[in-house]
Amino acid sequence: MNTISDPRSAPLAATAAGGHTLLLSDPDQPSYELMCATLKRLGYTVTREESGVDAIGHFSPDKYDLVITDLHLPDMGGLEVLRKIKRLSADTPVVVLACDSEVNDVVQALRLGASDYLLKPLTDEGVIEHAVTRIAEARELAAQNRDYRHQLEERNRELHEHIELLQRDHEAGRQLQQHLLPRTPYHYPAGIEAAFRLLPSLYLSGDFVDYGLFGERFIAFYLVDVSGHGVSSALVTALIKHSIMHLLRERSLFSQLDTIDQDITSVLEMINRELIAAGLDKHASMFVGVVDSRARQLHYAVAGQVPMPALVTSDGARWLSGKGRPLGLFQRGEWEVRHCCLPASWRLVACSDGVLELLAGDLLQKEESLLQMIDRTRGDLDSLCAALKVDTADSFPDDITILTLRQDNP
């Protein structure tokens, strides 16, 4: 093996300093000297081999960045050198040196993977510099692309792991939220049944329902719809559930007829304070009520509820009246507790606003369509869900919740 310092050495050259290497073959002395001078000026160290066989025997991809071979060598053709180099290292660029009369061989070399070709005799340094610099820049760009691809693959792998972890967390949160919900349907004394259908638009829901028996005659319930979707809204529903349970431990709510209205207002005021104090930029609509099974009377209040709850009797379905601001936006919500006498048989239906997204038209048209569905289905939960097609839809633009209470005349 001979270095560039020995210009009399035989035709094939190799190795470099400063991270640049080159393998050169050119039996034509004038072209070789011009080639060496140009490469040296570009920062390359050039080493020649005596023959194609020796060059291939000493070649390794970690040693040489570039191969330059003449198409005519003493012991083998340049195309054969090209084939063997590419077999050893497909990414190593190869430049072939050819005469004007060797066009067919040049075309064949390019088909075999040569990066470029130079025509002899070489008389212009600029031609050599342009070819070598272009190949070096392409190699650098390819290396950058490989690094970028590797980084991208690593980021994708990390992202995939994060997504799997997030999905597991969401599934755990969903299971927890489902655990916090009451049983459905649930049967209370006096033949009253409470049931619900809750279908989140994402893993977790910003809607929540709960109900329970207090004493022997009062069945309290609520439906809350927190603004937004996903984890943050679901956490607010857990906060509301926790706050109500804490208030129930502190005070004997929904146990005395003369304090029922005050108890309903206390729940709304407490949740409103909690949402404002939390500073979560969340608000909620809510329908909260108490059925007095002995007196056959409904006590209820609404806080920004859309659509309004509907009562179904033998006369048909109608919206309940009421007004009140959403929770978490105003210090004073101006909520009012209203009362409604209940017949021997009745159905109460409350829906979150996501149900309206399943219907066509403007808000008034959607509410009218929903009331007609409630009337046709007589407030039956399964029938209403079938009419709205909530059980067969793949996804929803918003959380869907339907809460029903019913009592049938025995």
Side-chain angles (χ1 to χ4, degrees):
M1 182 181 294
N2 300 293
T3 66
I4 193 172
S5 60
D6 183 10
R8 296 166 298 178
S9 303
L12 212 54
T15 205
H20 297 283
T21 60
L22 184 73
L23 181 63
L24 171 66
S25 170
D26 184 6
D28 181 58
Q29 191 71 13
S31 295
Y32 168 73
E33 290 176 349
L34 180 63
M35 177 76 73
C36 289
T38 304
L39 294 170
K40 183 175 181 179
R41 181 171 55 80
L42 295 175
Y44 286 89
T45 298
V46 183
T47 302
R48 293 191 301 168
E49 293 291 347
E50 295 293 336
S51 66
V53 172
D54 291 338
I56 294 169
H58 291 114
F59 172 80
S60 63
D62 58 338
K63 188 176 181 181
Y64 301 115
D65 294 332
L66 175 66
V67 173
I68 299 178
T69 182
D70 198 288
L71 286 179
H72 294 285
L73 298 173
D75 57 343
M76 70 173 62
L79 293 179
E80 183 63 20
V81 173
L82 172 61
R83 288 190 186 95
K84 293 182 180 296
I85 294 296
K86 285 296 180 180
R87 191 175 299 124
L88 294 170
S89 174
D91 294 333
T92 299
V94 178
V95 176
V96 297
L97 302 177
C99 299
D100 289 336
S101 61
E102 299 173 318
V103 175
N104 292 335
D105 288 341
V106 169
V107 173
Q108 181 66 11
L110 295 175
R111 289 176 177 172
L112 291 174
S115 300
D116 206 344
Y117 67 94
L118 296 172
L119 295 178
K120 299 184 298 181
L122 297 173
T123 59
D124 186 354
E125 286 189 357
V127 174
I128 302 172
E129 180 177 350
H130 174 75
V132 174
T133 301
R134 185 182 64 80
I135 290 173
E137 291 174 348
R139 189 176 180 87
E140 173 93 8
L141 180 60
Q144 292 176 359
N145 287 338
R146 282 195 301 271
D147 291 342
Y148 176 75
R149 186 167 59 251
H150 292 157
Q151 293 175 9
L152 185 60
E153 290 172 354
E154 179 65 18
R155 296 294 183 272
N156 286 338
R157 184 187 63 79
E158 293 175 355
L159 179 60
H160 183 69
E161 291 177 353
H162 289 322
I163 290 175
E164 288 185 341
L165 178 61
L166 185 61
Q167 288 176 337
R168 289 195 297 269
D169 288 345
H170 280 183
E171 185 59 33
R174 182 172 185 171
Q175 293 296 329
L176 177 60
Q177 190 176 51
Q178 292 292 322
H179 181 73
L180 294 175
L181 290 166
R183 284 185 290 173
T184 180
Y186 195 85
H187 298 275
Y188 292 103
I192 297 177
E193 176 193 276
F196 70 91
R197 194 71 54 85
L198 191 154
L199 301 165
S201 59
L202 301 173
Y203 270 94
L204 299 170
S205 173
D207 292 355
F208 197 78
V209 299
D210 205 359
Y211 36 74
L213 177 65
F214 295 83
E216 298 180 353
R217 59 186 287 191
F218 300 109
I219 299 170
F221 58 89
Y222 68 84
L223 182 153
V224 64
D225 181 358
V226 178
S227 61
H229 310 279
V231 176
S232 59
S233 299
L235 289 175
V236 175
T237 66
L239 171 65
I240 292 173
K241 167 85 173 183
H242 170 77
S243 299
I244 292 177
M245 296 304 295
H246 183 72
L247 185 62
L248 289 171
R249 287 192 295 268
E250 288 185 339
R251 296 172 51 181
S252 180
L253 298 178
F254 311 127
S255 59
Q256 300 294 327
L257 180 59
D258 56 355
T259 61
I260 289 293
D261 292 0
Q262 180 182 344
D263 294 340
I264 291 175
T265 302
S266 296
V267 169
L268 294 174
E269 291 175 343
M270 180 268 299
I271 296 175
N272 190 59
R273 287 194 306 269
E274 292 277 358
L275 291 180
I276 292 176
L280 299 174
D281 194 28
K282 291 288 186 181
H283 62 275
S285 62
M286 190 170 188
F287 170 50
V288 55
V290 177
V291 173
D292 182 351
S293 60
R294 183 178 303 171
R296 290 190 180 277
Q297 189 171 47
L298 170 65
H299 303 246
Y300 70 93
V302 293
Q305 178 68 26
V306 177
M308 289 293 290
L311 182 65
V312 183
T313 65
S314 58
D315 296 327
R318 64 178 177 87
W319 297 123
L320 295 179
S321 61
K323 64 178 182 178
R325 293 174 173 174
L327 306 170
L329 295 176
F330 308 96
Q331 294 294 337
R332 296 178 59 85
E334 299 179 359
W335 307 291
E336 57 183 26
V337 179
R338 298 203 174 190
H339 310 98
C340 177
C341 292
L342 299 173
S345 296
W346 55 270
R347 310 284 174 85
L348 182 64
V349 180
C351 303
S352 63
D353 61 1
V355 171
L356 297 177
E357 298 296 327
L358 305 176
L359 304 172
D362 57 28
L363 178 59
L364 292 179
Q365 292 171 329
K366 291 180 178 182
E367 289 181 329
E368 179 62 26
S369 297
L370 178 59
L371 187 62
Q372 291 175 1
M373 286 186 178
I374 294 173
D375 185 49
R376 287 197 304 268
T377 60
R378 303 301 299 160
D380 178 72
L381 179 60
D382 292 335
S383 300
L384 180 58
C385 288
L388 291 167
K389 300 180 180 179
V390 298
D391 293 327
T392 56
D394 294 330
S395 61
F396 306 101
D398 196 0
D399 301 326
I400 305 293
T401 302
I402 303 174
L403 169 66
T404 63
L405 285 89
R406 62 188 290 176
Q407 184 179 33
D408 296 316
N409 188 343

